[in-house]
């Protein structure tokens, strides 16, 4: 009976991990009144990453303040231990570092192919007191945005009707207007595969 219960628990955990790896994670970047909001979404659940990042930074600041109050001798001992532990590790040559860097870039581009763009809204209207400056800004924004959208079209799977890019110039406008909403979905399974490949490549160098 005990083995059955253990088996059920193990299978349940495996099923939960499998579901987590298969369900797409959605990352959304949207224009807000006070800057940019970053959201993480899974099914009907969503988390504001801005608030999470602020909490993490505040926690790190508190930990840093506590470390400064510790004894200097303890810090010196810790540095010696760190140096000893680092000395035991095999240092990578410049060629190996370059190979690992190229492997990382390769995995990133592979992940691009597994991403699905749910929203691609970019609206920009150039404007200002100087019409000539507004025209120059309009040309610069076009030169930046349209190649970016072309890159996303070539590397990612864009949902039908998700692309909404509009760049214009209002010579009578008092200021520029900018609005965007970009949402990209990725299954954690593919990120785990990329991490595993990089870890395997790094392990071979050790």
């Amino acid at each position: 009976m005990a083995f059955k219960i253990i088996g059920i628990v193990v299978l349940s955990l495996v099923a939960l991990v499998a579901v987590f790896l298969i369900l797409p994670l959605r990352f959304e970047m949207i224009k807000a009144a006070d800057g940019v909001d970053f959201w993480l979404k899974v099914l009907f659940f969503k988390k504001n990453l801005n608030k999470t990042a602020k909490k993490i930074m505040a926690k790190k600041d508190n930990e840093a303040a506590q470390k400064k109050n510790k004894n200097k001798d303890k810090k010196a001992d810790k540095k010696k231990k760190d140096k000893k532990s680092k000395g035991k590790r095999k240092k990578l040559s410049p060629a190996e570092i370059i190979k690992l860097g190229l492997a990382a870039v390769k995995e990133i581009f592979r992940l691009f192919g597994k991403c699905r763009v749910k929203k691609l809204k970019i609206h920009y209207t150039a404007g200002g007191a100087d019409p000539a400056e507004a025209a120059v800004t309009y040309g610069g924004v076009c030169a930046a945005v349209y190649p970016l959208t072309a890159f996303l079209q070539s590397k990612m799977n864009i949902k039908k009707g998700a692309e909404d890019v509009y760049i214009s110039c209002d010579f009578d406008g008092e200021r520029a207007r900018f609005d965007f909403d970009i949402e990209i979905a990725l299954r954690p399974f593919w990120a785990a595969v990329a991490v595993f490949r990089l870890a395997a490549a790094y392990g071979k160098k050790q």
Side-chain angles (χ1 to χ4, degrees):
M1 184 68 180
F3 289 107
K4 287 184 179 180
I5 294 173
I6 293 171
I8 291 171
V9 171
V10 171
L11 288 175
S12 300
L13 291 174
V14 171
L16 285 173
V17 172
V19 169
F20 172 75
L21 292 174
I22 293 173
L23 285 176
L25 294 178
R26 291 175 291 154
F27 302 91
E28 185 175 14
M29 181 174 64
I30 185 170
K31 179 74 168 60
D34 57 346
V36 182
D37 277 347
F38 295 91
W39 293 87
L40 174 62
K41 300 179 180 179
V42 182
L43 294 178
F44 302 106
F45 304 96
K46 61 180 182 178
K47 180 73 173 178
N48 190 314
L49 298 180
N50 298 58
K51 295 179 180 179
T52 305
K54 288 179 181 179
K55 289 180 181 179
I56 293 173
M57 292 301 295
K59 186 178 179 181
K60 286 184 177 180
D61 291 340
N62 291 333
E63 291 177 353
Q66 291 175 1
K67 286 181 180 179
K68 286 181 180 179
N69 296 329
K70 288 183 179 179
N71 195 299
K72 292 182 179 180
D73 294 334
K74 291 182 179 180
K75 290 183 178 181
D77 293 338
K78 188 176 179 181
K79 287 180 180 179
K80 289 179 181 179
K81 290 179 181 179
D82 291 341
K83 286 180 180 179
K84 288 181 180 179
S85 62
K86 287 180 181 178
K88 293 178 181 179
R89 296 179 183 176
K90 182 183 176 182
K91 292 183 178 180
L92 297 175
S93 66
E96 289 173 334
I97 293 173
I98 291 172
K99 286 182 180 179
L100 286 175
L102 292 174
V105 173
K106 186 177 180 181
E107 292 301 328
I108 289 172
F109 275 95
R110 280 180 178 174
L111 283 178
F112 281 159
K114 302 300 181 182
C115 291
R116 180 172 173 80
V117 180
K118 298 283 188 177
K119 297 178 184 177
L120 185 58
K121 174 186 174 183
I122 302 175
H123 290 181
Y124 181 82
T125 301
D130 187 355
E133 185 177 347
V136 172
T137 303
Y138 168 77
V141 172
C142 288
V145 171
Y146 288 117
L148 173 62
T149 56
F151 172 80
L152 294 178
Q153 289 172 350
S154 64
K155 298 297 180 182
M156 294 184 181
N157 180 17
I158 299 179
K159 181 181 177 181
K160 186 177 180 180
E163 190 173 350
D164 181 14
V165 180
Y166 178 75
I167 312 296
S168 63
C169 184
D170 184 6
F171 294 107
D172 297 326
E174 296 181 356
R175 61 176 182 174
R177 298 186 298 275
F178 185 37
D179 186 25
F180 62 87
D181 186 2
I182 301 173
E183 183 178 317
I184 298 175
L186 175 67
R187 298 182 190 278
F189 171 78
W190 298 116
V193 169
V195 171
F196 177 79
R197 284 175 178 165
L198 286 176
Y202 178 78
K204 290 179 181 179
K205 304 298 181 183
Q206 296 296 313

